[in-house]
Amino acid sequence: MSGNDTPIKPGKKRIIGHEGWQPLALALAIGTAGGFVFDWLRMPLAWMLGACVFSTVAAFLGLRVGMRVRLRQGMIIILGVLLGSGFTPELVQRLGEWAVSLCVLTGMTMTGATLCYAWLRRVTDWDKVTCYFAAMPGGLNDMTIMGGAMGGQERAIALAHALRILTVVLTIPVWYRLVNGAQTSVLTMVHGPTGNDWKDYAILIACGVIGAVLGRLLRLPASFMMGPMIVSAIAHLGGFTNSQPPGFLVAAAQVVVGTGIGCRFVGTNFDRLHKEMAASIGAAFILIACAVGFAEITHALTGLNLDATVLSYAPGGFAEMSLIGLALGIEIAMVATHHLFRLFLIIITGPIVFRTILRRARR
């Protein structure tokens, strides 16, 4: 394949998949079509899920699809502002109730990562470094960059995490739709712009811009979502506004995020990588099983809502899991808090564990 046909490594270039405006337009058209189909089927998080499925199929079929990282980041800023609007004084007062749940989450993360590491070592030919960072349920970009810096195979780590997020995004909403009958649309997630005036829009725009800048300066994980979410939460908790981004923007953001997930599989040769892909999907299901099992423990110990706890422990991406929680009407503050805690936990402890245990074992 030529240089432009090779999937772009996360965090190093500004294109996911194929480069150019035509691949971007094709990807967005396919993703939008998927969103309409899944919305017609009344699936939870229809616009992101449909775009994800359709663009993934397009990537595996060899179509020239691509996503600009800056466009995805811009849409993620909108979603961060939306998620911040879900923080209310009543929910913040419940932070103390989540102490036990966060402790259990720590144990679940360690258990799931250990089991996934053992699984990947057994069923793949990857070295220990690659298996270690592929097994960590952290952010795709963070784990890929960190693993590459430690000597791991960036392509394999990126593949494992992309498939983990894809598996979780395709599993949990479909489960709730088929088993619990859950369904939603973007119009039920966002109450629309009818109550917003120019001051509300100015505050929302400021939350996005200031939050994105602060997130980058502070080097927060998932900075383009976390920064705007934190600033938006402060604005809503402070009573400066109770508004949300308009529904059509939220739908567009979901399409872009879902399409971006699918475009990560451009250039993936299923015939050559089927063993590694099967191993990565197996690791994702191990993490999902751990999330459900430990959520049951937390539910028994604390009485917290089981669905909210499962979603808080689910090993998906921060943006994807927060959106699923919002779509299913689950306490977004609880879901976001737990996923932020998991990201910080892995980013802080992951390199330390690697240096003190795995590197010593290699020597």
Side-chain angles (χ1 to χ4, degrees):
M1 293 184 295
S2 65
N4 287 342
D5 292 337
T6 304
I8 304 301
K9 295 180 180 180
K12 294 202 171 182
K13 295 187 180 179
R14 297 177 179 178
I15 301 294
I16 302 173
H18 293 285
E19 188 172 3
W21 287 104
Q22 290 181 338
L24 173 63
L26 178 60
L28 290 177
I30 292 173
T32 303
F36 274 111
V37 171
F38 275 59
D39 188 60
W40 177 72
L41 294 174
R42 306 295 296 172
M43 295 295 292
L45 204 63
W47 296 95
M48 188 179 82
L49 190 60
C52 178
V53 171
F54 274 49
S55 60
T56 299
V57 172
F60 278 122
L61 291 177
L63 298 182
R64 290 183 58 81
V65 292
M67 174 57 61
R68 290 185 176 270
V69 172
R70 285 187 175 179
L71 174 61
R72 183 177 182 275
Q73 289 171 342
M75 291 302 182
I76 284 180
I77 290 173
I78 295 173
L79 296 178
V81 174
L82 172 65
L83 295 176
S85 68
F87 285 77
T88 63
E90 294 76 17
L91 290 179
V92 174
Q93 291 171 3
R94 298 188 57 195
L95 284 174
E97 299 179 19
W98 304 334
V100 174
S101 179
L102 291 172
C103 290
V104 176
L105 174 62
T106 302
M108 185 216 71
T109 302
M110 295 173 61
T111 302
T114 301
L115 292 175
C116 284
Y117 174 78
W119 164 262
L120 293 175
R121 286 291 293 165
R122 182 177 181 85
V123 301
T124 70
D125 298 326
W126 298 341
D127 56 65
K128 290 183 177 181
V129 180
T130 301
C131 289
Y132 177 82
F133 285 99
M136 293 290 108
L140 186 152
N141 286 335
D142 299 324
M143 294 299 99
T144 302
I145 294 171
M146 198 178 297
M150 298 290 184
Q153 304 172 36
E154 287 191 352
R155 180 200 58 81
I157 297 172
L159 175 68
H161 286 291
L163 284 171
R164 168 176 61 86
I165 294 171
L166 179 65
T167 302
V168 175
V169 167
L170 294 182
T171 301
I172 292 182
V174 173
W175 170 267
Y176 279 103
R177 176 68 178 93
L178 298 179
V179 177
N180 294 357
Q183 52 182 296
T184 187
S185 95
V186 69
L187 299 179
T188 61
M189 291 171 58
V190 180
H191 300 299
T194 54
N196 294 357
D197 57 22
W198 70 270
K199 293 181 180 178
D200 291 316
Y201 285 117
I203 292 174
L204 293 178
I205 292 172
C207 288
V209 174
I210 295 173
V213 172
L214 288 178
R216 294 292 289 174
L217 289 176
L218 298 176
R219 297 186 178 181
L220 298 175
S223 58
F224 284 99
M225 173 167 276
M226 190 184 301
M229 186 191 73
I230 293 174
V231 176
S232 175
I234 293 172
H236 285 81
L237 290 172
F240 296 102
T241 182
N242 59 358
S243 59
Q244 297 173 315
F248 74 90
L249 274 181
V250 177
Q254 289 184 51
V255 168
V256 170
V257 171
T259 303
I261 295 175
C263 288
R264 292 190 184 278
F265 295 97
V266 168
T268 302
N269 189 320
F270 184 81
D271 293 333
R272 292 176 53 194
L273 301 177
H274 65 277
K275 182 178 179 180
E276 294 181 358
M277 295 175 67
S280 299
I281 294 173
F285 278 110
I286 289 174
L287 290 172
I288 292 174
C290 287
V292 174
F294 278 85
E296 292 280 3
I297 295 173
T298 300
H299 175 66
L301 291 175
T302 65
L304 289 172
N305 180 275
L306 181 59
D307 290 337
T309 309
V310 169
L311 206 55
S312 297
Y313 288 2
F318 172 66
E320 292 79 13
M321 292 301 96
S322 298
L323 274 177
I324 292 173
L326 186 65
L328 296 176
I330 294 174
E331 294 177 341
I332 188 60
M334 178 178 176
V335 176
T337 299
H338 281 71
H339 282 283
L340 291 178
F341 178 81
R342 173 172 58 85
L343 287 175
F344 277 116
L345 178 68
I346 292 174
I347 289 175
I348 293 173
T349 63
I352 297 174
V353 174
F354 172 79
R355 291 190 181 98
T356 57
I357 298 178
L358 281 186
R359 184 171 287 180
R360 184 178 301 172
R362 290 175 70 196
R363 289 176 181 174

